[in-house]
Structure formats: C-alpha cells, structure tokens
Amino acid sequence: MAVTKVGGGPLTNLEQFMMELERAGQDSSLDKLIPKPKLVDQQIPCGVNGCERTFVNKQCLYRHRTKVHSTSSRTCEICGKELKNPVRLREHRKKVHKTK
C-alpha cells in the first residue's frame, strides 16, 4: 500500500525521506538536511580611502567601485542622462530610446 498525503496524491522523495528519518527516530528538520553555504575566508578590501567595504570576489569589487567611487560618467547623446557604467548606458539606450 502506497502512503499518500492527507489531501491525496503521492508523496515526494523528500517527504518520503523525512518520514523514514522520523520512523528511525532521527531529527528530520531541514536545517540539518540542507548544507549551509561555505563562508569565504578571504575578503578583498575596496582600497579607496575611508571605505571599509570588503568583497568575496573581484567582480563584486569592480561593480562597487564603478557604482560608488567612479568619477567618470558616460552621457546619453539622445537625452543627456549621465550614467557611470557603460553597460547601464547601453541598457538605457535600449530600454528608453529603443535603440539596438
């Protein structure tokens, strides 16, 4: 005989696994079943005077520096809007001005 849910329908593999754990007297809380993400030991500091931010990889550091500390900007030649990131300028042109 197959075990079904109270509302009907078959149990998922996870539900069956958790029921087996309960029958065996083991804790079936998901906190112990799902591994926690590993913490990164090495943090990369921003490097700008007065900024205490640290990052787990160079991509996050680059994004932070261009967003927060960049003094250069690009100007949309159609409407004059200034954006710090060239990718954002390209996205702006596509979205607002429907260019390619």
Side-chain angles (χ1 to χ4, degrees):
M1 179 174 100
V3 179
T4 60
K5 296 180 187 179
V6 174
L11 296 174
T12 64
N13 288 340
L14 178 61
E15 290 168 326
Q16 288 175 352
F17 177 70
M18 291 177 71
M19 284 179 64
E20 289 174 18
L21 285 177
E22 286 175 8
R23 280 191 210 120
Q26 297 181 16
D27 186 5
S28 64
S29 70
L30 288 177
D31 292 341
K32 293 182 180 179
L33 295 175
I34 300 172
K36 293 182 180 169
K38 294 179 182 178
L39 297 175
V40 177
D41 293 338
Q42 202 166 27
Q43 295 282 314
I44 305 168
C46 173
V48 174
N49 271 347
C51 186
E52 300 294 322
R53 295 282 313 263
T54 59
F55 302 91
V56 294
N57 59 46
K58 289 180 181 180
Q59 181 182 6
C60 293
L61 170 62
Y62 174 76
R63 184 176 45 229
H64 164 76
R65 281 190 164 178
T66 56
K67 220 175 182 184
V68 177
H69 301 297
S70 178
T71 56
S72 65
S73 63
R74 279 93 177 152
T75 305
C76 175
E77 61 280 350
I78 300 169
C79 68
K81 182 172 182 169
E82 288 189 10
L83 297 126
K84 289 184 179 181
N85 189 320
V87 175
R88 299 288 178 253
L89 176 60
R90 192 170 42 246
E91 290 172 353
H92 163 80
R93 285 185 193 132
K94 283 182 184 178
K95 204 175 210 179
V96 176
H97 305 298
K98 310 289 186 221
T99 61
K100 289 184 179 183

